[in-house]
Amino acid sequence: MTLDSNIPEGPIQDKWDNHRFSMKLVNPANKRKYSIIVVGTGLAGASAAASFAELGYKVKAFCYQDSARRAHSIAAQGGINAAKNYPNDGDSVWRLFYDTVKGGDYRSREANVYRLAQISTNIIDQCVAQGVPFARDYGGLLDNRSFGGAQVSRTFYARGQTGQQLLLGAYQALSKEVARGQVELVTNTEMQDLVVVDGHAKGIIVRDLRTGELSMHAADAVVLATGGYSNVFYLSTNAMGCNVTAAWRAHKRGAFFANPCYTQIHPTCIPVSGDHQSKLTLMSESLRNDGRIWVPRDKDETRRASDIPEEDRYYYLEERYPSFGNLVPRDVASRNAKERCDSGFGVGQTGLGVYLDFRDSINRLGENAVRERYGNLFEMYERITDESPYKVPMRIFPAPHYTMGGLWVDYNLMSNLPGLFVIGEANFSDHGSNRLGASALMQGLADGYFVIPYTIGNYLARQTPGSVTTEASEFSQVESEVRDRIETIVNLDGERSVDSVHRELGRLMWNECGMERNADGLQGALKEIPSIRDQFWQNASVPGTSGELNQTLERAMRIADFLEFAEVMCTDAYERNESCGGHFRSEYQTEEGEALRNDEDYSYVAAWEFNGVGQKPTLHKEPLAFDHVPLTQRSYK
């Protein structure tokens, strides 16, 4: 099956404007008759829910946190991209479009990326109007800094708290609509399944995490804004609650999962310190603006970093990629760090680390200037490691971070299941096989504020409002299936903790489907995952009951989904016989160790259809055309 992305006709610069004009509209009086469910209240979900409500729709927004402000979007530190060209250094909508397609290693949909670049300028105006405290220069104008994969400064930021400040802006917009009664905000509640009626998504089943009570909710459309799945690796930069459950349950109801093997390994994370850890800590990519990455030139270096002279330091990114230096894209920086450590030049007790050094920046700018830009990040690093980056270099190492794969959506952000829309990191649409830094916040807010408020109306205008209620038999059927699954899991009475099973899965996924993959390792993982899954169902222990606050049960249900999803992820990686961006197959690389694409055979989106647990999914392809950014071997040298 070849998927139809519903990309509008016409010049790429005019596609979005023409499409908005050609879409069906819902008049203001009729909007009040329609209801929309939004799952997730991060940047994408909160902005979408607030926008829907302001338009007049009735909205129910769900989050499993105790407040919408606690969504994982707050963890985004470095900034948000926009083609404003305030520094007058050559940026433009076209350059942001080009950098994003190139940064994604030519595996993204051109039309979506161009629309994202167009909308980016509006996002900044929107957020400034909301009071987001972006950094400003001495004259009071909005400041910009550089990020990986670009030679211009287009990243707007609020110290190292950009995600938090943007989320507070979206949360204020959402709170206004909650106060007006246009949004019903349901917290401490997790989606358990999607309800499909006559082929259309018409509602969800949720569980109250405090009481265990299940409830059914119907609407005219469902929007998933539930983030990514990097916690399949167990250790990642994601909050421990981040999961694949909502997307996976929708997948099992018929939504295609696109490019699940495209996972991003972030180059600047605090290295693993031991088996006691449950997550990893990100150090913002913005640090690569002023920090210089290096390792000793000698393998058996025993001197402290401060005692190693300049001639004995290897600034490998600056030497290997002179045009971009320390600001190469994340996949390139991560692979180079791994190569240095694998070759025996890593630093720290484990040898799994490289230096990120601010000595030269402090000497050039002064400590106060560096403190003003990165103070909270330096404080975080010192609290975790008991080392001051003002005095000694940071030690960093790559770690799982963002996921470019997600549920397949068309140009309107609707999945192949009519009525199911997917936005933000939960969809696959904009980043190809590698996301440029500071583009996640851009996509989340573009989808929520400026894309889906238009496109969902195009769908709703063809639907009869309120045509499906929770009285439909499909709701009680799905609720019964959810209840049976929960009771099966809560009655697990083995000898292993659910976290130990998750850790075993994560180690396997990191080793065989992480920063580097190969056919033998992926085949081995596909044989081993079912046995780990059997361990979960036969020997895991879930104490407590389902009718109470039970965090072990919460984790167990999410881990059960990861144990199923991991097979699709490895299948996707095994079937894609090329390297591109974050998907690095060691069999396919250039003589210089760069990703070697196969455009003739793999220039497509891989969208997988569920056929049952343990059964190979069916592959559907969306061909990718590159009419405006010619296919070339990526080079940052």
Side-chain angles (χ1 to χ4, degrees), residues 80-241:
I80 176 171
N81 287 332
K84 286 285 197 181
N85 195 32
Y86 285 169
N88 198 30
D89 57 358
D91 200 12
S92 64
V93 167
W94 193 270
R95 188 176 293 279
L96 176 53
F97 161 61
Y98 174 86
D99 286 346
T100 304
V101 173
K102 177 183 175 183
D105 213 355
Y106 304 91
R107 289 294 176 263
S108 51
R109 189 190 288 154
E110 277 194 337
N112 284 62
V113 177
Y114 191 87
R115 176 176 63 186
L116 178 64
Q118 277 181 299
I119 290 171
S120 69
T121 59
N122 298 334
I123 297 171
I124 303 305
D125 297 338
Q126 168 92 1
C127 294
V128 169
Q130 289 176 333
V132 174
F134 286 123
R136 295 178 180 267
D137 63 19
Y138 182 77
L141 302 177
L142 293 177
D143 201 7
N144 290 104
R145 59 188 177 198
S146 302
F147 252 67
Q151 291 178 303
V152 297
S153 296
R154 63 163 66 102
T155 305
F156 296 79
Y157 65 98
R159 294 187 77 187
Q161 307 169 0
T162 314
Q164 181 177 8
Q165 298 301 328
L166 289 171
L167 184 61
L168 287 172
Y171 175 72
Q172 289 175 100
L174 177 63
S175 297
K176 183 187 76 172
E177 298 307 315
V178 171
R180 289 180 58 221
Q182 285 294 111
V183 175
E184 180 184 349
L185 179 60
V186 187
T187 60
N188 291 297
T189 303
E190 186 164 23
M191 174 180 161
Q192 298 298 308
D193 218 327
L194 180 73
V195 181
V196 179
V197 180
D198 295 331
H200 289 246
K202 290 296 182 182
I204 61 175
I205 308 298
V206 300
R207 178 175 182 269
D208 187 315
L209 299 181
R210 296 159 298 188
T211 66
E213 180 183 356
L214 296 179
S215 57
M216 302 178 289
H217 301 267
D220 298 298
V222 176
V223 179
L224 297 187
T226 50
Y229 48 84
S230 265
N231 276 350
V232 70
F233 295 105
Y234 184 71
L235 286 178
S236 82
T237 66
N238 287 191
M240 288 187 66

Side-chain angles (χ1 to χ4, degrees), residues 244-272:
V244 76
T245 290
W248 185 247
R249 302 290 171 84
H251 174 62
K252 294 175 77 171
R253 295 292 172 188
F256 295 166
F257 215 114
N259 300 335
C261 77
Y262 288 167
T263 54
Q264 182 169 81
I265 310 301
H266 199 293
T268 53
C269 301
I270 298 178
V272 176

Side-chain angles (χ1 to χ4, degrees), residues 107 183 222 270 286 331 334 389 424 438 474 539 561 572 604 634:
R107 289 294 176 263
V183 175
V222 176
I270 298 178
S286 63
D331 61 311
S334 293
E474 288 86 350
N539 201 27
D561 292 322
D572 188 41
Y604 61 75
R634 238 181 7 159

